[in-house]
Amino acid sequence: MLNSTGELEFSNEDNPEIISQLASLALCGGKSSAGVPEKTGYPDSVYVMAANIFQGIRIEKSAQKVLIKYGNEPLRSLSESEDQSFRRLSYELAFSALKYIVYIFFFMCPDHLSSLIIVMLYDFQDRKFQTRVLSDNEESISEVQEVENLLNSFKIKLAAALARCRIKHDALSIYHILPETVRKQELRASTLPLYAWINTCKISPEEVYNNLKRRGYHKVKSVLHVDDKVFAVDQHCYDVLIFPSHLQNDLINIDLFKDYKLIFQDKSRSLAVHSVKALLNMDDDILMVNTGSWYTVAHMSVLTNNNTSKVFVCGVQSQAKDPDLKTLFTKMGCKNIEILHDLFINIESKDHRLQKVKVILLLPRCSGLGVSNPVEFILNEHEDTEFLKDHSQGGISEDKLHILAQQQYEQLTHAMKFTKAQAVVYCTCSVYPEENEAVVKKALEFQDLGNKVQPYRLSPPVLPLCSLKEIQLSTDKFFRVEPSEITNGCFISILTRERDPSETVSVKDVLARAAAKGLLEGIELGKSSKREKKKKKSKTSLTKAATTDNGIQMKIAEFLNRETKASANLSETLTKPPLPQKNTAQVGASSQTRKPNKLAPNPTVPTFMKSTCPSRPRERQAHLMRPRPEDRMVALKPIEIVLPPVFMPFSSPQGIRSQMPAQHFYCHWVAPKALVPTSLPTPSLARKGEKPKDDTPSSLLRPPRPWL
């Protein structure tokens, strides 16, 4: 049934002794990858499912280069298992076959069995051509049994052919035949820890910590190179826990994961939803695009559980999935998710359902070469199996990269057309600038500026930068995580609208927002004070006074001149209390009309009066501007601390100001302090309507004149 060609070309005429020596070389050094334990084989159903997966991800070649022909129909399986571990084994086997076999083995075989032979041949050499251990209760599949028998019959020759290939490529093992980029990727995947986020709708972080400690887990700062049962809290996301990779089989069997209290997911998705959370207000809605895994949607819902926000998810074309999704979200405690059965590119920016959407999370399909373990990423994020093709070769063609970048650009520009949205979070797991920085910069450069809304701008990361390297990588306002032994690669860009310069936020609005968020607990916000009302009236009256007729101003000026000339003597002028002011408009008018009279000569007014009169209107205004305790709002008490020091003495009307002598009011710029009397009435008492004493000698009211 099996005939060989290419690298595996051999015949029955080969020297048995040479074949035996080459086979021994293959059997002693055929380990495919470092750190992988010895295997005994898989169940028949795993081989069939792996063959069907391989059929879908195999690399197409031109007709001239085709050496293996594949059938068009998948192999029939006895049962399609939905068990996660079963699917993981099948994907790992198919992906390994895609990486290794394409470089080494080529067969001439029946088309419908080509994929099955390739995946079983890889597993056969990975077991060093040892016989598979079968389970007693396992149901066998005829096609699998037939291929296995044929491979066993060619065991020695297959091992010899493999040894020839290793010698030809000067490789210690089949693992060293792979490209260097693929080998580095496998090395990172072997140490990559597990990330799981806490479903705070069902359990608190403290309860999770206590539950894990009862099971023998210990909380540490880093899980790298630790073989014990430990866990750590992620530095970027407070609700994400990190576990060593060797604990996966133990963790998936505990109740925390079975009851959806802990959910495995790649860290890049958690970084994306936490970036959105940092941009939200209490009642803002979110639109998620190309989410992949429903766990990402659930995580976004859990983070906004205490808000009134809704999480809209677009792209679910099949309504038949709705009952299953609702059941999943109900089990996870998510209540604010709404599914849209439309492709994102077809949703209009003025859709009535999305009028409260303020943040759009865009997770476009990308090459994903920042992911070290693509199998786990596919299982957790439900990415297309096409994702594995690029990873098997360690790179992507320029044509495919251009197509992906164009799709990402179209989705990003469409997201920027939603006029109600205020921010867009763009996240990929790619390492190519063509899919990251280039897409964002191009979208910002060619954004539509015809709308009345403000344009978008690039904003700095909203996530904490926990190391010097992260700070250096984020100097251009992009958040980057390079692929490493502790995490997959990630790229996040935050686009926010520029602030409208015409928008002004009043103090009342700020206080209202603070009160709504509970920041002013115990502080009463009263009505606007009398002082504020007077200020408003003053501003209104001053504006009106500036626009009055010149004739009216002249009449007012004449009236004030007559009043000034009518002052017979200085004592009456000094002791006469100021007229009660009905409103601040009169003060404003008098201050404006008395300025021209300062230079006008008046023989009836003494010389010192000419020098001191201009200061009286300003002093009166200072008294009027003096704050009153009964009019102050309780919420504005702290503002006294930040006022300029010159206003501090006036905070108490009956204190220091009441003790200042009257002469200081008129002659503080000339008279020495020793000559100032201390028993004179104060201007503050006169303003309160107190009558001055009539028996006060007029000589005491006359200030000293040292210049005479």
Side-chain angles (χ1 to χ4, degrees), residues 150-162:
L150 290 169
L151 290 178
N152 281 325
S153 64
F154 282 94
K155 179 173 71 173
I156 301 298
K157 293 184 178 181
L158 287 171
L162 177 60

Side-chain angles (χ1 to χ4, degrees), residues 249-382:
N249 293 332
D250 180 59
L251 290 170
I252 60 178
N253 294 320
I254 65 176
D255 295 337
L256 289 175
F257 287 90
K258 290 181 179 180
D259 298 337
Y260 297 103
K261 296 177 181 178
L262 275 176
I263 294 93
F264 283 124
Q265 195 167 27
D266 186 70
K267 182 181 174 179
S268 62
R269 296 310 190 232
S270 297
L271 292 172
V273 296
H274 274 273
S275 298
V276 174
K277 178 64 171 61
L279 298 168
L280 290 176
N281 291 320
M282 294 294 290
D283 58 346
D284 292 345
D285 291 346
I286 307 106
L287 177 62
M288 302 184 68
V289 185
N290 296 341
T291 55
S293 173
W294 295 112
Y295 292 155
T296 307
V297 181
H299 196 181
M300 188 76 261
S301 174
V302 169
L303 289 178
T304 57
N305 183 52
N306 295 328
N307 302 356
T308 58
S309 305
K310 281 188 178 180
V311 180
F312 292 92
V313 187
C314 61
V316 184
Q317 301 181 26
S318 175
Q319 297 186 7
K321 294 183 178 180
D322 285 3
D324 296 335
L325 293 177
K326 290 180 179 179
T327 302
L328 174 64
F329 294 145
T330 302
K331 290 180 180 179
M332 301 183 72
C334 304
K335 301 178 181 179
N336 59 343
I337 299 174
E338 186 169 334
I339 299 174
L340 306 179
H341 299 283
D342 304 295
L343 292 174
F344 174 64
I345 205 70
N346 296 331
I347 297 178
E348 295 185 2
S349 59
K350 297 182 179 180
D351 193 307
H352 67 280
R353 299 169 295 181
L354 308 177
Q355 293 306 301
K356 290 182 64 179
V357 169
K358 300 300 181 184
V359 183
I360 300 177
L361 174 57
L362 185 59
L363 299 167
R365 181 174 175 268
C366 62
S367 61
L369 289 179
V371 176
S372 300
N373 193 339
V375 172
E376 286 294 332
F377 194 81
I378 285 178
L379 293 174
N380 293 331
E381 301 302 324
H382 299 277

Side-chain angles (χ1 to χ4, degrees), residues 631-684:
D631 291 339
R632 291 177 186 163
M633 294 177 62
V634 180
L636 297 181
K637 283 183 178 178
I639 203 171
E640 293 181 7
I641 299 174
V642 297
L643 284 175
V646 69
F647 293 101
M648 295 297 292
F650 302 99
S651 59
S652 178
Q654 301 298 334
I656 301 173
R657 188 64 183 174
S658 62
Q659 300 175 4
M660 295 177 65
Q663 272 72 6
H664 189 272
F665 175 76
Y666 292 102
C667 307
H668 64 278
W669 64 282
V670 172
K673 294 183 179 179
L675 300 177
V676 178
T678 58
S679 60
L680 300 180
T682 61
S684 61

Side-chain angles (χ1 to χ4, degrees), residues 216-249:
Y217 287 82
H218 302 284
K219 186 177 179 181
V220 296
K221 291 185 178 180
S222 175
V223 300
L224 193 61
H225 307 304
V226 178
D227 297 330
D228 200 3
K229 297 176 70 173
V230 297
F231 71 94
V233 180
D234 185 69
Q235 293 180 322
H236 299 98
C237 308
Y238 60 87
D239 61 342
V240 174
L241 301 184
I242 313 173
F243 299 90
S245 57
H246 68 271
L247 298 175
Q248 182 170 8
N249 293 332

